[in-house]
């Protein structure tokens, strides 16, 4: 993982956290921005490979496969939680964008860390009475800003991958 990818992911996730803190939603505009950035990133990577390196097509093929696998892993990993009403649809799409830009290795760590941190935040929110209690589908549900757990999971996932590259 390179520094440009980490910066792009950080910007997108921080935008999503800000939107989630304001409206308890992650806007589709932020998700579309993330997908557009990923498309531009892959396009520039492809052009750079053809013009400068003249033979990077094999690594581009690997990059795209890794990104597609990351997209599906992130999206469907969070979709399972969405089915049980643990997260919102914006969180699912945000994790898909993280997988698209970061690849499958990063999104596995982000899913794991955000699940653990989301559970901790949820328990703390209930104990400190910071989670809003909302009636939904005939049930009483505690809602929280899960994007905070995703942001922290992203930071830990990027640290884990950087640490692996150093060692």
């Amino acid at each position: 993982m390179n520094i440009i990818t980490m910066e792009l992911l950080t910007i997108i996730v921080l935008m999503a956290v800000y939107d989630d803190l304001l409206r308890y939603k992650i806007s589709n505009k932020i998700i579309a921005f993330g997908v557009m950035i990923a498309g531009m990133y892959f396009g520039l990577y492809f052009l750079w490979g053809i013009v400068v390196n003249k033979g990077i097509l094999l690594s581009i093929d690997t990059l795209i496969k890794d990104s597609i696998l990351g997209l599906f892993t992130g999206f469907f990993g969070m979709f399972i939680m969405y089915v049980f009403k643990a997260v919102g649809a914006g969180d699912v799409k945000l994790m898909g964008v993280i997988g698209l830009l970061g690849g499958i290795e990063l999104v596995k760590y982000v899913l794991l860390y955000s699940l653990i941190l989301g559970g901790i935040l949820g328990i703390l929110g209930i104990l400190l009475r910071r989670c809003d209690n909302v009636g939904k589908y005939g049930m009483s549900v505690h809602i929280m800003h899960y994007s905070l757990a995703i942001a922290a999971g992203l930071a830990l996932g990027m640290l884990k991958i950087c640490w692996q590259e150093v060692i």
Side-chain angles (χ1 to χ4, degrees):
M1 168 173 283
N2 60 32
I3 191 74
I4 295 171
T5 306
M6 293 191 313
E7 289 172 349
L8 292 173
L9 281 170
T10 302
I11 290 168
I12 293 166
V13 170
L14 287 177
M15 288 170 52
V17 167
Y18 179 74
D19 195 34
D20 189 24
L21 289 174
L22 285 180
R23 305 180 312 129
Y24 277 102
K25 284 183 165 188
I26 297 174
S27 172
N28 284 334
K29 292 176 185 177
I30 295 171
I31 302 303
F33 174 74
V35 172
M36 181 186 69
I37 291 295
M40 289 175 24
Y41 177 72
F42 294 139
L44 289 173
Y45 191 83
F46 181 72
L47 288 174
W48 179 265
I50 289 176
V51 173
V52 176
N53 293 337
K54 296 181 177 36
I56 200 166
L57 292 178
L58 180 63
S59 72
I60 288 176
D61 184 41
T62 306
L63 175 72
I64 290 175
K65 283 181 187 174
D66 185 50
S67 294
I68 298 292
L69 283 173
L71 168 70
F72 286 125
T73 302
F75 185 85
F76 289 113
M78 286 294 277
F79 186 74
I80 293 168
M81 293 174 59
Y82 174 74
V83 168
F84 293 106
K85 304 296 180 208
V87 297
D91 300 318
V92 175
K93 294 179 273 189
L94 179 62
M95 192 63 74
V97 169
I98 291 171
L100 182 64
L101 270 169
I104 190 159
E105 184 180 6
L106 176 67
V107 82
K108 288 189 304 187
Y109 291 125
V110 176
L111 275 169
L112 175 67
Y113 294 143
S114 68
L115 179 65
I116 293 168
L117 294 169
I120 292 170
L121 284 175
I123 290 169
L124 284 174
I126 291 170
L127 292 175
L128 298 174
R129 301 184 193 275
R130 296 281 185 186
C131 290
D132 293 333
N133 197 6
V134 176
K136 196 174 196 181
Y137 306 112
M139 300 184 326
S140 179
V141 179
H142 294 283
I143 59 173
M144 60 176 261
H145 302 288
Y146 196 80
S147 64
L148 293 172
I150 293 174
L154 177 67
L156 290 174
M158 288 191 297
L159 284 173
K160 172 80 171 159
I161 289 177
C162 289
W163 184 258
Q164 287 175 342
E165 290 177 3
V166 169
I167 293 179

